[in-house]
Amino acid sequence: MSSPVPEPPVTGHPAIDDALAGLDLSGPVAEHAEQIQQVHQVLQEVLNPGSTPSGR
């Protein structure tokens, strides 16, 4: 019997919540570098607006 998939954390910020909801870390983390980078980019944009080049 497999355990249920945990719900992603809820931060209250829609962009962060969406990014975390799309993150799938099943399997080796090294195989999901692009997903982790996308979540990191969202966090950077939310926590430090204007610090990242536009269009990313």
Side-chain angles (χ1 to χ4, degrees):
M1 184 169 152
S2 65
S3 54
V5 176
E7 292 292 320
V10 176
T11 65
H13 192 287
I16 294 174
D17 292 342
D18 289 346
L20 292 174
L23 186 61
D24 176 11
L25 295 179
S26 60
V29 174
E31 293 178 3
H32 304 289
E34 185 175 332
Q35 290 182 46
I36 294 168
Q37 290 171 347
Q38 289 172 348
V39 171
H40 184 260
Q41 181 67 33
V42 170
L43 290 170
Q44 287 284 70
E45 291 170 2
V46 169
L47 297 174
N48 196 7
S51 69
T52 58
S54 61
R56 288 188 65 174

